[in-house]
């Protein structure tokens, strides 16, 4: 998972990530399952730092 801080794009341009911080290591989630990942350390600081600013989201990404 990663914490992504974005910035609104100028008209006609695509949105770009300004900062990406990994939230944690690989987490295995079984089919139809759920998992809770605790946000700590640098990721927690990044979320707190950006919470009142531009768009912030935490995204899961697939790994094989």
């Amino acid at each position: 998972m990663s914490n992504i801080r974005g910035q609104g794009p100028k008209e006609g341009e695509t949105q770009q990530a300004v900062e990406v911080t990994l939230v944690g290591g690989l987490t295995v989630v079984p089919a139809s399952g759920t998992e809770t990942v605790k946000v700590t350390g640098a990721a927690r600081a990044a979320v707190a730092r950006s919470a009142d600013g531009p768009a912030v989201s935490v995204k899961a990404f697939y790994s094989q």
Side-chain angles (χ1 to χ4, degrees), residues 1 9 12 16 19-20 23-24 27 29 31-34 36-38 40 51 53-54 56 58 61-62 64:
M1 296 183 73
Q16 301 296 315
E19 178 182 359
V20 177
V23 172
T27 301
V29 181
S32 300
T34 62
T36 301
V37 177
K38 189 170 184 174
T40 62
V56 174
V58 175
F61 54 91
Y62 297 101
Q64 294 186 13

Side-chain angles (χ1 to χ4, degrees), residues 5-32:
R5 182 170 65 95
Q7 183 173 334
K10 294 179 183 174
E11 189 171 331
E13 294 183 7
T14 59
Q15 184 174 6
Q16 301 296 315
V18 174
E19 178 182 359
V20 177
T21 306
L22 290 179
V23 172
L26 185 63
T27 301
V28 177
V29 181
S32 300

